[in-house]
Amino acid sequence: MELATTVTELRYALDTFFFLMSGALVMWMAAGFAMLEAGLVRSKNTTEILTKNFCLYAIACTMYLIVGYNIMYVDNGEGGWLPSIGALIGSQAEGADHSLESDFFFQVVFVATAMSVVSGAVAERMKLWSFLIFSVILTGFIYPLEGYWTWGGGFLSEAGFSDFAGSGIVHMAGAAAALAGVMLLGARKGKYGKNGAIHPIPGSNMPLATLGTFILWFGWFGFNGGSQLMLSDFENATAVGQIFLNTNAAAAAGAIAALAVCKTTWGKADLTMILNGALAGLVAITADPLSPSPMAAVSIGVVAGALVVFSIIGFDKIKIDDPVGAISVHGVCGFFGLMAVPFSNGDATFGAQLLGAAVIFGWVFTASLAVWAVLKYTVGIRVTEEEELAGMDLHDCGIDAYPEFVSVK
């Protein structure tokens, strides 16, 4: 009996540690988003986009602690639409595999990831304070409600919807919120001309964007691997190994596919597209990184890596200005990832996946559109044309990211 108790305690400790380290890896993805976005915006907007990324993480952690986790998980009934709001500070569940606190930490960094998707899409023209107000609403209320419907035991989970680590719940949700904001915000000045002309606005720092993508790739092992929730027995340890393998394979295949599409389409290796190709593969495999074989994971990555290139082009053609391609990477490829699950997971159905995707997108997009609209017609969401021309750094932060390179007039 004493030996059994000791083994149980060791497994509890190991699984708690696994949860915490996985959460720490996902937290590091916040740095990845910050570096990627800082590299893909113009130098005059760098400090401001870094401020948004840093502050949204702090807001997400605080709002999810105060209210979000309670909505998503605490004392909720199975199969419901509306959550109860319990208290996070409670007793540890008897027989739990890991600590309640480690579960919260792992979940809160996912919320910040969803909000990080929004920051890149609305970059270079959205007011800082309007963005931060929206962050409060998304992380405290909008995301947790759809999280309850899925991971929290609500009606979508009862309907058979399957999303292992959040292709839809996290990534597509963030893209839906971003799309609503971009539609009300409008494009950056000079992005689109007459007769359908599209004027590229290059980012300021490709080394930084590349570093950010590598950080995201690295953090994704915690994102997907940690979602197995356990490591302390043969079955779960083996599963985590499979998840790591498939996650890495899909990312690599996505980058190669984007490279191939760029070469065949334009004759050039567009680094921004290649980076987004890797991220597209990561987003797509996130819906189910365990069930596919390694070669199936490669196939998912290939499709996602090619799809994101055409999606970015398509959104540009309809004048949806997304400076970092976030809506395509996280939205379009997140949806693709959800719909790819039934090909390798016999417990998933296309009907349940489509229902889940429609509900998540519909809820987050509609709720976000309403919040963005209220902000637009009260405090405003877009800076003035003069402020946009001068740069968000000067207007919102008063600090230049690269002061040595600022020209004196």
Side-chain angles (χ1 to χ4, degrees):
M1 187 69 178
E2 184 177 344
L3 178 61
T5 302
T6 301
V7 171
T8 299
E9 291 177 348
L10 285 173
R11 291 186 61 183
Y12 177 91
L14 178 59
D15 288 331
T16 295
F17 181 75
F18 174 61
F19 237 15
L20 292 172
M21 291 304 98
S22 296
L25 281 173
V26 181
M27 183 272 174
W28 187 229
M29 290 173 68
F33 278 113
M35 295 301 98
L36 173 64
E37 293 171 19
L40 293 182
V41 300
R42 287 166 289 184
S43 58
K44 64 183 180 180
N45 298 313
T46 305
T47 300
E48 195 265 355
I49 200 69
L50 294 174
T51 303
K52 282 179 177 174
N53 274 273
F54 200 89
C55 291
L56 77 83
Y57 180 80
I59 289 170
C61 291
T62 304
M63 289 303 299
Y64 199 65
L65 176 64
I66 294 172
V67 65
Y69 186 83
N70 304 326
I71 292 173
M72 193 163 169
Y73 286 112
V74 180
D75 297 332
N76 288 325
E78 294 185 0
W81 281 81
L82 295 175
S84 61
I85 300 180
L88 175 62
I89 306 303
S91 59
Q92 178 69 48
E94 186 177 350
D97 299 313
H98 51 265
S99 75
L100 173 65
E101 291 79 8
S102 68
D103 181 77
F104 168 80
F105 178 68
F106 185 69
Q107 295 294 336
V108 74
V109 289
F110 276 57
V111 186
T113 298
M115 190 62 219
S116 294
V117 174
V118 183
S119 61
V122 301
E124 299 203 290
R125 73 271 201 207
M126 173 167 278
K127 288 183 176 181
L128 172 63
W129 290 100
S130 297
F131 175 83
L132 297 181
I133 292 170
F134 180 80
S135 300
V136 171
I137 306 301
L138 179 75
T139 59
F141 303 97
I142 297 175
Y143 172 92
L145 186 54
E146 58 98 2
Y148 159 58
W149 293 337
T150 50
W151 288 337
F155 77 98
L156 286 179
S157 62
E158 292 292 300
F161 175 68
S162 178
D163 189 1
F164 186 90
S167 285
I169 297 166
V170 179
H171 295 281
M172 191 180 69
L179 178 61
V182 170
M183 289 175 64
L184 289 180
L185 189 62
R188 291 168 291 175
K189 296 296 181 183
K191 175 65 177 178
Y192 303 114
K194 296 180 180 179
N195 301 319
I198 301 171
H199 305 296
I201 302 178
S204 62
N205 195 323
M206 290 301 102
L208 207 58
T210 304
L211 174 62
T213 305
F214 270 123
I215 292 173
L216 287 168
W217 192 332
F218 177 66
W220 229 286
F221 295 119
F223 202 99
N224 287 356
S227 294
Q228 182 63 21
L229 309 183
M230 293 180 67
L231 183 70
S232 60
D233 59 32
F234 177 85
E235 181 180 355
N236 283 289
T238 303
V240 172
Q242 179 74 17
I243 290 167
F244 271 53
L245 190 161
N246 285 345
T247 298
N248 194 63
I256 294 170
L259 170 63
V261 170
C262 290
K263 177 62 177 176
T264 55
T265 304
W266 301 295
K268 305 289 184 181
D270 186 325
L271 177 60
T272 61
M273 291 294 189
I274 297 168
L275 299 179
N276 277 330
L279 296 176
L282 288 163
V283 169
I285 199 64
T286 294
D288 189 350
L290 178 58
S291 299
S293 67
M295 290 310 300
V298 167
S299 299
I300 290 170
V302 166
V303 174
L307 180 62
V308 75
V309 176
F310 294 114
S311 177
I312 290 171
I313 296 170
F315 276 116
D316 255 347
K317 287 183 177 179
I318 60 173
K319 298 185 178 181
I320 298 294
D321 183 17
D322 179 359
V324 304
I327 298 170
S328 295
V329 170
H330 302 274
V332 174
C333 294
F335 175 74
F336 163 69
L338 291 177
M339 299 312 296
V341 171
F343 287 111
S344 57
N345 187 339
D347 295 329
T349 65
F350 290 107
Q353 295 302 96
L354 189 60
L355 172 65
V359 169
I360 292 169
F361 182 86
W363 159 247
V364 178
F365 179 82
T366 303
S368 299
L369 190 67
V371 175
W372 287 126
V374 170
L375 290 171
K376 180 175 182 178
Y377 295 109
T378 53
V379 297
I381 61 175
R382 181 160 186 152
V383 298
T384 66
E385 186 171 347
E386 292 77 14
E387 291 165 346
E388 184 177 345
L389 181 63
M392 305 288 285
D393 290 359
L394 178 63
H395 172 246
D396 282 332
C397 304
I399 299 174
D400 291 311
Y402 308 105
E404 293 86 355
F405 299 97
V406 175
S407 59
V408 179
K409 295 183 180 180

